[in-house]
Amino acid sequence: MEILAFGVQSDEKPLMEKAFAGHHEVRCLDVFLNEDTAPIAAGYEIISTSVNATLNNRVLQTLAAGGTHLIAQRSTGFNNIDLEVAERLGLTVARVSYYSPYAVAEFAWTLAMAVNRRIVRASNRTRDFDFRLDGLMGRDLRGRTVGVLGTGKIGEAFTRIAHGFGMKLLGWDIAENPACVELGMKYVDKERLFTDADLISLHVPLLPATEHLVGSAALRTMKDDAILVNSSRGGLIDTKALVSELREGRFTGVGLDVYEAEAGLFFLDKSLDVVEDDTLARLVTFPNVLVTSHQAYYTVDAVSQIIETTVANVLDYQAGRRSENVLVPSAPRS
């Protein structure tokens, strides 16, 4: 059987082909699944999608009509999939419920340190042989307070690094993580976390309850010299409200690996296009803001785990097995 994989990056393709070897052939496409590309899947019982795929009602209808029966998404998040429609159409949907939490946690710290120590500005200067230190002063993190929203596997990994820096630990989640408590984390309500933290990092999923978790009210209560990092999902932050605060000269730094309107932008080369997203265009002009293109997960370790789990999801589906990765179950076609 040949499997169709959408949104496969060039670095990812050899890993994908190697992992599927001996099981199935895999056809890798660099285009993302959306309403325009969905017809390509006609005749493929099994497809694999990336985190930036659009799996709304129209796309799912097209997939089902073309004979697709399993959607194996190569990500933990699934807010891009209309699960109710998928279930109604009899589609099976699986995801990757776990991969290396260190990839994302380490990258979140990379963003935090980069904006704190003005690394991008310093690098740009030295390329022009400008070796002044004016405007490059950062702060020690030891003894300062970090606020971690979401203390699951990634949040815990982030917290362990913060503990290594010698920071005071504040956490917010629906349930306390004993490992974080053992490190000295104090769980507080999110209002206090926003008020007290010098550095805030987001590690919660995007759900209706967490959409714009960091909105105008939260942003206003944060310290003027706070650092904000988001390596989870763009919709956790009200970006327009963030831009308004940045225009007031607030925050030491903001590091964003995700953006709430990233679909159709991230993972693509838009360097020769006119970007019509005024909010993003304004956001990247601030000297204290660093935006990267959803690459926190992008290590050989994490991507390999994601692909291996995707292969396992395909094999489970064909064998009629159901794992924790299945979001919408359905029996395989004969």
Side-chain angles (χ1 to χ4, degrees), residues 177-188:
N177 183 334
C180 292
V181 173
E182 188 176 343
L183 291 170
M185 173 172 279
K186 181 177 182 179
Y187 280 84
V188 297

Side-chain angles (χ1 to χ4, degrees), residues 109-136:
W109 271 108
T110 301
L111 290 174
M113 294 303 295
V115 296
N116 177 41
R117 301 306 300 268
R118 322 294 187 187
I119 298 300
V120 174
R121 184 184 298 178
S123 176
N124 290 338
R125 282 186 183 180
T126 55
R127 285 177 180 273
D128 292 330
F129 298 97
D130 180 351
F131 301 104
R132 293 172 300 159
L133 296 181
D134 296 343
L136 301 183

Side-chain angles (χ1 to χ4, degrees), residues 31-86:
V31 297
F32 297 100
L33 178 62
N34 54 40
E35 294 181 9
D36 294 328
T37 60
I40 301 173
Y44 287 90
E45 181 180 348
I46 300 173
I47 69 165
S48 178
T49 59
S50 63
V51 67
N52 265 10
T54 300
L55 288 152
N56 57 22
N57 179 53
R58 290 185 62 181
V59 170
L60 293 171
Q61 290 275 4
T62 301
L63 294 176
T68 295
H69 205 58
L70 171 66
I71 300 168
Q73 176 141 301
R74 304 187 307 279
S75 72
T76 298
F78 53 90
N79 54 284
N80 61 320
I81 308 172
D82 192 326
L83 297 180
E84 292 184 1
V85 172

